[in-house]
Amino acid sequence: MKKNFKSYTLIWAIFLVAFNVIVFLVRPIIPGYEIHYDLRFWIAWLFVMAAFVGNLLCANKAFQAENLEKLFYKVPLISVSYRGLIGMLVLGGALMLIPNCPAWIAAIVCVAIAAFTAVAVVKADWAGETVSETHEKVKAQTQLIKLLTVDAETLLGRAKTPDAKIATKKVYEALRYSDPMSSEALGEIEAELAEKFRALEAAVTADQGVTEAAESLLETLTERNRKCRATK
């Protein structure tokens, strides 16, 4: 993520330099254009610079994400601040071009844009954090059944006899179609389920008692699924 942020910073710096070159070097050489570096001009320019800095800070926070999945939830933070920057560039640039515009009008317009952008950024950041935390919580609550399902599929390939293959396939199918969502109320029975799955693995390895181990596991899984439905 740091490499991506460096690339973003480079592009950001190019736009920042380009804007200031246009404002301070290109505009003065336009024939017939008289420059007025008055209070209105500096208010607009300072707010544009603040918008650039704000955009970079938002990007920095977004690119601190640990992985691409978390970065995805931070993308709105960048896009919202980017739209705010564009808005400030357009209106701020227009204010810098109007020599007779009162400074108080420039201040009101720039403050309004900055406030609107700040509110949108806070909302985008809050929404991203909330969705990310919810996703992590769901992942943690569905981890056991999903992992057991993967292990059951592997166990199916290790079964040696036709009866063992039938038994392990039943376990795999039952786990596959079970509700993966867990809760604190299911903690005890899920611990029992995990223990019985280990017993099934041992039975498959020893090629002995596979059917019995599978049936015992399926009974526990059925009870777990019944309790899961009851807690909703």
Side-chain angles (χ1 to χ4, degrees):
M1 297 304 157
K2 291 183 179 180
K3 183 178 179 181
N4 293 330
F5 179 65
K6 288 180 179 179
S7 299
Y8 186 94
T9 303
L10 178 61
I11 297 172
W12 176 88
I14 292 172
F15 277 108
L16 178 64
V17 172
F19 172 77
N20 283 290
V21 167
I22 293 171
V23 170
F24 293 105
L25 298 182
V26 176
R27 285 201 320 142
I29 64 174
I30 298 176
Y33 186 83
E34 185 179 355
I35 302 174
H36 297 274
Y37 293 116
D38 53 13
L39 182 59
R40 168 265 323 165
F41 175 89
W42 291 114
I43 288 175
W45 180 82
L46 285 172
F47 270 95
V48 171
M49 292 300 100
F52 267 105
V53 173
N55 175 259
L56 186 64
L57 291 175
C58 289
N60 180 48
K61 184 172 183 179
F63 282 109
Q64 286 179 357
E66 300 170 1
N67 50 55
L68 288 175
E69 184 179 4
K70 290 189 176 182
L71 177 60
F72 174 78
Y73 297 116
K74 293 291 186 179
V75 169
L77 184 63
I78 302 176
S79 61
V80 167
S81 66
Y82 180 75
R83 288 195 293 270
L85 173 59
I86 295 299
M88 189 67 77
L89 279 171
V90 172
L91 293 178
L95 289 167
M96 283 187 279
L97 290 171
I98 305 174
N100 297 320
C101 177
W104 64 271
I105 292 180
I108 290 175
V109 171
C110 290
V111 168
I113 299 172
F116 178 81
T117 303
V119 171
V121 165
V122 171
K123 288 174 64 177
D125 185 41
W126 173 80
E129 291 287 348
T130 302
V131 173
S132 179
E133 289 175 3
T134 301
H135 181 70
E136 290 297 322
K137 184 177 180 180
V138 170
K139 281 176 61 177
Q141 289 181 327
T142 59
Q143 189 174 29
L144 175 64
I145 297 298
K146 288 183 177 180
L147 289 177
L148 289 181
T149 302
V150 173
D151 291 342
E153 187 175 13
T154 303
L155 200 61
L156 178 59
R158 289 170 48 195
K160 301 173 184 177
T161 64
D163 288 342
K165 288 183 180 297
I166 292 173
T168 52
K169 185 176 182 180
K170 287 181 179 180
V171 170
Y172 168 68
E173 293 292 339
L175 286 167
R176 182 183 176 188
Y177 293 107
S178 293
D179 187 343
M181 187 59 68
S182 183
S183 66
E184 294 182 3
L186 301 176
E188 184 177 344
I189 195 166
E190 286 184 345
E192 182 182 348
L193 181 66
E195 183 179 347
K196 289 192 175 181
F197 190 87
R198 289 192 292 270
L200 176 62
E201 287 180 315
V204 171
T205 301
D207 194 21
Q208 186 176 0
V210 176
T211 301
E212 291 78 5
E215 289 178 352
S216 178
L217 186 150
L218 288 172
E219 289 178 1
T220 303
L221 180 60
T222 299
E223 179 64 18
R224 179 263 176 199
N225 290 341
R226 185 185 66 78
K227 289 185 176 181
C228 182
R229 289 192 296 270
T231 56
K232 292 185 176 182

